[in-house]
Amino acid sequence: MINILIIGLGSIGKRHLESLLISKKKLNIYIIDIKPIKKSLLNIKNHNIFYFNKILNFRVKFFLTIISTNSDVRYNLLLKLLNKNKSENILLEKICFNKLYQYSNIKKLLSKNRTNVYLNYPRTMWKSYIRLKKLFKPKEFKSLVFESNSWNLCSNSLHFINLFNFFTKTNSIKLKNEKIYNRYFKSKRPFFFELKGKISFINSMNQKITLVDTFSNIDPNLSIDTNKYYIEVFERKNEMRITNKNNSKVSIKNFYVEFQSVLTIKLLNKLLKKEKINLSKFQDCVNSDIIFLKSIYGITYKKFGKKNFAIT
């Protein structure tokens, strides 16, 4: 039997569970959440479901643990998990943690631990982005721009920074410039906050990523500039436009968004078969994640005098 642990059964946790229930292999699925679980989930015929309201010493080794809680409690939950149980693989939702020291502590802990810890920046698993990457070499990449309306700049920027690192084969950035609106906003989750405006980073190859959250009513647009191609990706429209700079020829291709309800079972199967996984490990993301958080915290302290700016 394959033992799976899900900590946090909110909106994302439910998508992970839905995906795992597709598995043709029988699973023991342990669920930890402070809210009571629906009885219907305890009567799944193909799998065994166990519900708990806290982390215990379960006396089993988990093949995969998914921690899909809010960022403010994820660090302590991860420590409890590693202290009381063994898990071969762990998947963390973004943003991993809210405190910079927590990244450093976990990095040190994992250097002595054989657990594989992946961050759930799923775009690098999408077949459309994997195919797109084959169009150019990392050194040919020039810039990436993502612009949309009210897409949660603080909470979701790391998804695109991770994609930027995926295309450029780098793992560190530095703040280039910012133009943030002179106010901050409450997130949809209590006690968390958001910013709107424009923020840019560069890497060691002087390649640039710009992220824009605007009040304007525009369709989400991700554009990539390379030596040979200019590429526009419209995820909501399932469309990608590729312009060849040499002859100005434009080709329009289908683009497929892969949802979490599909990706989690895909991840599990690849782990079981020991196949390559296009998800970044914690150690490969830590530099960019920390620099992004330092940049946001620096901006919010400078503009608003706010030290505790919690991002979900």
Side-chain angles (χ1 to χ4, degrees):
M1 290 290 287
I2 302 166
N3 296 310
I4 307 291
L5 174 62
I6 300 175
I7 304 176
L9 203 64
S11 57
I12 297 297
K14 287 176 183 175
R15 301 292 86 76
H16 286 300
L17 177 60
E18 287 174 4
S19 190
L20 290 169
L21 293 176
I22 299 170
S23 176
K24 295 179 181 179
K25 297 180 182 294
K26 192 161 186 177
L27 306 176
N28 287 327
I29 303 177
Y30 294 70
I31 299 172
I32 298 175
D33 197 275
I34 57 175
K35 295 180 180 179
I37 193 170
K38 291 183 179 179
K39 290 183 179 180
S40 59
L41 286 177
L42 299 176
N43 297 312
I44 302 294
K45 292 183 179 180
N46 298 332
H47 307 288
N48 297 321
I49 307 291
F50 308 100
Y51 167 74
F52 303 88
N53 60 11
K54 63 181 179 180
I55 297 176
L56 303 173
N57 186 339
F58 294 108
R59 302 186 185 280
V60 299
K61 183 175 182 180
F62 294 106
F63 180 73
L64 173 63
T65 295
I66 300 169
I67 303 181
S68 53
T69 62
N70 285 344
S71 57
D72 56 341
V73 298
R74 196 172 295 133
Y75 173 73
N76 288 332
L77 289 172
L78 180 57
L79 289 181
K80 287 180 182 178
L81 171 72
L82 294 173
N83 184 47
K84 292 185 176 183
N85 299 276
K86 290 185 179 180
S87 184
E88 189 171 337
N89 303 285
I90 297 175
L91 180 67
L92 298 179
E93 287 295 337
K94 59 78 193 168
I95 289 175
C96 283
F97 316 117
N98 261 196
K99 307 293 184 183
L100 297 175
Y101 76 87
Q102 295 172 342
Y103 280 89
S104 302
N105 288 355
I106 294 300
K107 185 177 180 180
K108 289 177 184 177
L109 181 60
L110 292 179
S111 67
K112 304 172 185 178
N113 192 305
R114 294 183 179 180
T115 302
N116 298 310
V117 179
Y118 300 93
L119 300 193
N120 196 27
Y121 298 132
R123 280 176 173 80
T124 57
M125 289 185 70
W126 296 5
K127 291 179 182 178
S128 291
Y129 278 127
I130 292 171
R131 285 196 294 266
L132 179 58
K133 185 180 180 183
K134 295 176 182 178
L135 275 179
F136 51 84
K137 296 178 181 179
K139 64 180 181 181
E140 297 172 340
F141 188 97
K142 297 170 70 175
S143 66
L144 181 153
V145 178
F146 178 74
E147 183 174 12
S148 187
N149 166 263
S150 299
W151 57 275
N152 294 333
L153 180 70
C154 295
S155 178
N156 290 320
S157 283
L158 281 170
H159 281 295
F160 298 101
I161 290 172
N162 183 256
L163 184 64
F164 172 75
N165 290 344
F166 175 69
F167 287 138
T168 60
K169 288 190 174 181
T170 58
N171 62 6
S172 188
I173 53 173
K174 67 178 181 179
L175 181 65
K176 178 71 173 177
N177 51 57
E178 56 86 6
K179 191 175 181 181
I180 298 296
Y181 288 103
N182 290 321
R183 58 170 294 198
Y184 59 90
F185 306 84
K186 289 183 179 180
S187 171
K188 61 181 180 180
R189 290 190 174 95
F191 311 113
F192 292 95
F193 302 98
E194 273 297 338
L195 299 173
K196 294 179 77 70
K198 176 179 178 181
I199 189 166
S200 298
F201 298 89
I202 58 171
N203 62 15
S204 58
M205 303 292 290
N206 210 34
Q207 296 161 318
K208 186 177 180 182
I209 176 170
T210 300
L211 303 162
V212 185
D213 192 337
T214 176
F215 284 107
S216 301
N217 189 19
I218 60 171
D219 289 330
N221 179 11
L222 186 147
S223 59
I224 295 168
D225 192 20
T226 74
N227 289 347
K228 186 176 179 180
Y229 298 103
Y230 181 73
I231 304 155
E232 292 178 285
V233 177
F234 303 94
E235 292 180 357
R236 290 185 184 174
K237 295 180 179 179
N238 297 318
E239 182 181 286
M240 178 166 56
R241 298 176 189 174
I242 303 172
T243 303
N244 188 319
K245 292 182 177 180
N246 293 331
N247 56 21
S248 299
K249 183 179 178 181
V250 178
S251 57
I252 299 176
K253 298 183 180 295
N254 291 329
F255 184 93
Y256 299 101
V257 172
E258 298 181 56
F259 295 103
Q260 197 62 60
S261 54
V262 173
L263 292 174
T264 310
I265 188 61
K266 181 178 177 180
L267 171 64
L268 176 62
N269 290 335
K270 282 184 174 291
L271 287 170
L272 288 170
K273 295 176 183 178
K274 299 187 183 300
E275 294 178 351
K276 181 182 177 182
I277 299 164
N278 282 316
L279 271 185
S280 299
K281 287 190 174 182
F282 175 86
Q283 292 91 329
D284 297 327
C285 295
V286 66
N287 288 340
S288 290
D289 283 29
I290 287 176
I291 291 166
F292 172 75
L293 286 175
K294 279 185 177 179
S295 301
I296 294 298
Y297 295 158
I299 290 168
T300 55
Y301 182 70
K302 181 180 178 181
K303 284 184 175 290
F304 317 117
K306 191 169 181 63
K307 290 184 177 180
N308 298 316
F309 195 86
I311 303 170
T312 187

